[in-house]
Amino acid sequence: MAAAAHPAASLEENIAAYNEMRQELENNHFGEWVVFYDRRLVGFFPTYSDAADRAMEAFDDDPYLIRQVRNYPEHLPVSALIGGGKVAHR
């Protein structure tokens, strides 16, 4: 019998995973977009659109984090906040 799949990590857990890697990401991938899913770094992307396309295709309604690697406060365009709640930002 196959093992039951565990629920995906929450958005808060993905944010915590990002914060644990933050210094390394800022040193080596500043300005790139990253996707975290289930507390794991999924990949680096040159644009928000590339990151969002990958995350929505791969993770559907499960919580994931898309964030641009930088060391100053994040300001998102209104369009990034629209999408039926599938894409969450903080």
Side-chain angles (χ1 to χ4, degrees):
M1 177 181 263
H6 70 282
S10 69
L11 177 60
E12 289 75 19
E13 291 172 305
N14 288 319
I15 291 170
Y18 171 87
N19 286 333
E20 289 169 11
M21 294 185 66
R22 185 176 183 157
Q23 190 61 58
E24 177 186 344
L25 293 170
E26 288 176 1
N27 290 342
N28 299 308
H29 298 280
F30 192 83
E32 294 181 64
W33 292 85
V34 292
V35 174
F36 277 78
Y37 174 76
D38 206 21
R39 294 191 51 85
R40 292 187 318 266
L41 174 64
V42 174
F44 304 99
F45 302 89
T47 67
Y48 170 82
S49 181
D50 290 338
D53 288 347
R54 170 69 170 100
M56 286 188 287
E57 178 182 305
F59 310 123
D60 195 30
D61 290 330
D62 284 347
Y64 52 83
L65 173 72
I66 298 172
R67 183 164 284 179
Q68 187 175 30
V69 178
R70 54 196 194 175
N71 58 5
Y72 49 91
E74 188 167 1
H75 300 281
L76 296 172
V78 172
S79 62
L81 303 174
I82 300 171
K86 290 183 79 173
V87 180
H89 304 274
R90 279 204 211 172

